[in-house]
Amino acid sequence: MSEFTNKLREALLSASLPFDESSLAYFEVYKNLLFDWNAHMNLTAIRDEDGIIYKHFVDSLMVLKVVDNFSSLLDVGSGAGFPGVPVKIIKREIGLSLIESQKKKATFLEILLERLTFTDAKVYNARAEELARDNLRESFDVVCEREFGKIPINLEVGLPFVKLGGHLLLYKGAKDIEKIDIFKIFIEELGGSIEKIFPYKLNDSIERYIVSIRKEWHTPWRYPRSYSSMLRDLKKWGEFA
């Protein structure tokens, strides 16, 4: 067993996250491919093993402390696959979809899924706001946005993908949480309500949060608008966006 695997096991145990021994080998494959690709393109600014373990793998798996009973997950703006792929490694029975608009990153994700032998996972190399108006609309139990834009854009892009009764999960910092109530009316307009705000820490002192928004009713068809329209609309939110 490698030193990386031992450190990962300890981190998962310390965070009280579920895993089985066989999943650890999948994380090692993931880490190695990430390091290989990161030597040629900027997939992630985190380049050390401890950083990968805590700030990517453990951070991604905090989703499972917010929702644990679901069969489909969509990761919007997936980048190098966080949080969707680590969640899939632990919950192999779920259907996983990843949206990544940058071609090189989408190619990495396709190769990663092939290496992990995840045949029931799919990568969409397209803009999320366009896919949300197609056959993916209101199709997922859980939709995650980890490092994807401002709160109003998170909401407008993410909630149309969520099934009724499902959840939109937003990774946010302390400053975002201070202003989340500003967006309650907009959340309701999009068909959701704030269900819970889950606080957590990793291996540092930074306060982190996952905002869970429950889909209560259908999102009006006019949403999401074009990305340019959403960007223009940020001005009305001013400093709160």
Side-chain angles (χ1 to χ4, degrees):
M1 198 69 70
S2 71
E3 181 182 353
F4 171 82
T5 298
N6 286 330
K7 288 194 292 186
L8 176 60
R9 181 192 290 107
E10 290 303 314
L12 296 175
L13 288 170
S14 178
S16 300
L17 288 165
F19 71 97
D20 57 57
E21 290 297 316
S22 65
S23 67
L24 299 176
Y26 286 79
F27 284 110
E28 181 111 39
V29 170
Y30 194 167
K31 181 264 297 183
N32 289 339
L33 187 66
L34 186 62
F35 279 5
D36 287 345
W37 275 64
N38 228 25
H40 306 289
M41 63 178 289
N42 187 28
L43 281 173
T44 171
I46 297 170
R47 297 172 181 268
D48 63 288
E49 287 192 351
D50 284 354
I52 296 296
I53 287 171
Y54 286 97
K55 293 182 173 61
H56 282 326
F57 292 160
V58 172
D59 191 50
S60 294
L61 294 174
M62 288 297 171
V63 163
L64 301 176
K65 288 181 172 281
V66 183
V67 291
D68 60 0
N69 184 22
F70 58 98
S71 60
S72 58
L73 184 146
L74 173 67
D75 183 356
V76 179
S78 188
F82 308 115
V85 177
V87 173
K88 171 71 171 172
I89 289 174
I90 297 299
K91 288 180 70 74
R92 265 163 264 174
E93 72 277 8
I94 69 167
L96 174 66
S97 296
L98 309 170
I99 296 177
E100 176 49 55
S101 63
Q102 294 185 34
K103 178 61 178 174
K104 288 183 179 180
K105 290 182 179 180
T107 299
F108 167 79
L109 292 173
E110 289 168 350
I111 293 171
L112 173 63
L113 295 179
E114 183 178 345
R115 291 279 181 91
L116 296 173
T117 65
F118 290 162
T119 57
D120 56 346
K122 184 169 178 57
V123 178
Y124 293 89
N125 179 212
R127 294 202 62 84
E129 67 272 17
E130 296 169 1
L131 292 172
R133 302 188 66 84
D134 206 341
N135 59 354
L136 295 185
R137 192 178 183 88
E138 297 191 337
S139 297
F140 299 94
D141 298 321
V142 175
V143 175
C144 295
E145 294 175 289
R146 183 168 176 254
E147 295 181 11
F148 183 79
K150 302 287 189 177
I151 294 174
I153 294 177
N154 292 156
L155 298 169
E156 186 167 340
V157 170
L159 272 167
F161 287 111
V162 184
K163 288 180 180 178
L164 292 185
H167 300 84
L168 172 64
L169 304 183
L170 306 179
Y171 280 74
K172 291 298 171 187
K175 290 184 178 179
D176 295 310
I177 298 304
E178 290 173 3
K179 58 194 179 187
I180 195 68
D181 285 349
I182 299 294
F183 302 103
K184 280 187 175 179
I185 293 176
F186 189 45
I187 291 170
E188 292 175 2
E189 184 178 347
L190 292 166
S193 65
I194 297 174
E195 183 176 54
K196 70 173 97 169
I197 297 174
F198 173 73
Y200 67 99
K201 291 183 179 179
L202 299 175
N203 61 335
D204 53 30
S205 60
I206 297 173
E207 295 181 352
R208 295 171 168 86
Y209 301 85
I210 297 177
V211 181
S212 176
I213 298 169
R214 182 177 172 85
K215 185 71 167 281
E216 305 284 3
W217 49 91
H218 296 290
T219 302
W221 184 251
R222 65 182 178 275
Y223 296 115
R225 297 163 296 164
S226 68
Y227 190 64
S228 59
S229 296
M230 287 186 271
L231 282 178
R232 285 196 301 270
D233 214 28
L234 283 178
K235 294 178 182 178
K236 84 173 186 182
W237 298 105
E239 62 182 295
F240 299 108

